[in-house]
Amino acid sequence: DGTAIVLHAHFDAPRLGEAVSRRGVSMVSLVPTTLHRWLEQSPRPHAPHLRAILLGGAAAPPDLIRRASAVGLPVAPTYGLTEAASQVATARPETALRKPGSVGRPLDGNTLAIVGEDGQPLPPGAAGEIAVRGPTIMRGYYRQPDATTRALRNGALHTGDFGYLDGDGDLWVVSRREDLIVSGGENVYPAEVEAALNDHPAVQESCVFGVDDPEWGQRVVAAVVLREDQATSSEALIAFARERIAGYKAPRAIFIVSELPRNAMGKVQRALLRKMFADTPA
């Protein structure tokens, strides 16, 4: 009894396709970027044994989930963090299609709560900090007692991430704490702004971040990658966003770039973009 694991030293779309097609792989763990690259390399992959693609590390664009599902790749968006031994909640593929943006319900043994600044649970639909309880929660940070005390309170891991639970108990992650933008006293969640920008037919992907502003505290800025053979302007994208979200959430500046910087895991380096465009004119 056991499970075989196929490990690759780095992501390589052809090797992934070969492993899934010929080596009986039934589950794959990817981030949205690697799934996108796999589909670009192999638009109709052969995956006879695949039961699910566990998709994490960043918000999963609804169009990417629909595109994968259309060619028989079942995508299960996940939410997790190292302090909870990785995976905390997972959406079934059918839930991901019905509720794009949700990461589903907690895994067996875990419980989730959304809490306010006072640590008290919030009702469904209200955004707050995600708190996790369960047997996979860490005992603490190594030789960091203060950080441990801040994170572990009353038996729960306070993740520093923001989200909400809907009426079905499914989790929606709206922002990592360090990514939250506070502009003019209003909270702006990058994922909401990115979803609006990604609806534009010329946009392949986007990353939204805050830069310091003497008047507003922070202002909203975005870096955008356009689809091949598509063209638009920063001004047009800002106007497009303003039609879909509140004005204070819309980017004050948009930079069209050839690619977004990523780390070895394929995650967008939002902090690096923030540093690159820190001197964006108001």
Side-chain angles (χ1 to χ4, degrees), residues 18-83:
E18 189 276 337
V20 171
S21 175
R22 300 185 181 183
R23 303 189 65 179
V25 171
S26 59
M27 301 193 78
V28 178
S29 179
L30 300 175
V31 299
T33 301
T34 51
L35 176 56
H36 171 79
R37 291 176 180 173
W38 184 21
L39 288 172
E40 287 294 298
Q41 189 273 331
S42 181
R44 301 194 67 84
H46 179 59
H49 305 286
L50 194 65
R51 295 190 290 116
I53 295 173
L54 300 177
L55 199 65
D63 182 63
L64 180 63
I65 294 176
R66 289 191 291 266
R67 181 181 171 193
S69 178
V71 294
L73 300 181
V75 178
T78 70
Y79 166 73
L81 62 168
T82 302
E83 292 89 338

Side-chain angles (χ1 to χ4, degrees), residues 182-184 211-219:
V182 182
S183 183
V211 298
D212 292 341
D213 184 277
E215 180 180 1
W216 299 98
Q218 288 182 301
R219 60 184 177 276

Side-chain angles (χ1 to χ4, degrees), residues 102-124:
S102 167
V103 291
R105 300 183 184 183
L107 302 181
D108 287 348
N110 291 336
T111 59
L112 292 175
I114 306 299
V115 300
E117 292 185 0
D118 59 0
Q120 295 302 307
L122 296 174

